[in-house]
Amino acid sequence: MGNEVIAALVIALTGVPALGIAAWSGRDGSAHARGTGLRWALIALCSFIAAIALYFSGGNRSAALAIGIGFAVAVNALAVSMVLHLRRGNGGAPRR
């Protein structure tokens, strides 16, 4: 197995806990919980897409670097979105 296969498997495996957290956090069905679950599910989806893209990059270092940068930007943007969502609380209004 090449390095791109191992790296793709590692990245895909890191998305599995995020998918589990998405199901767990959205279990009560409130709008706030669904929003949190959606953000976790999107983080898992980014992980799976990055793993597939890394696998098909074929060992190209510049493509792997671009995929890694894109993955980091997407996950961090979703993390900021989740923090802002959690700060709003269950009422939906921004906190002071």
Side-chain angles (χ1 to χ4, degrees), residues 34-92:
R34 285 193 316 264
T36 304
L38 173 67
R39 284 161 178 85
W40 276 108
L42 289 173
I43 289 171
L45 181 65
C46 285
S47 178
F48 297 146
I49 290 172
I52 292 168
L54 192 60
Y55 177 75
F56 285 117
S57 70
N60 186 349
R61 284 182 65 101
S62 60
L65 183 62
I67 292 165
I69 290 171
F71 176 60
V73 168
V75 168
N76 282 308
L78 286 166
V80 168
S81 173
M82 188 178 330
V83 167
L84 293 175
H85 177 73
L86 291 174
R87 283 183 48 97
R88 270 186 254 145
N90 286 332

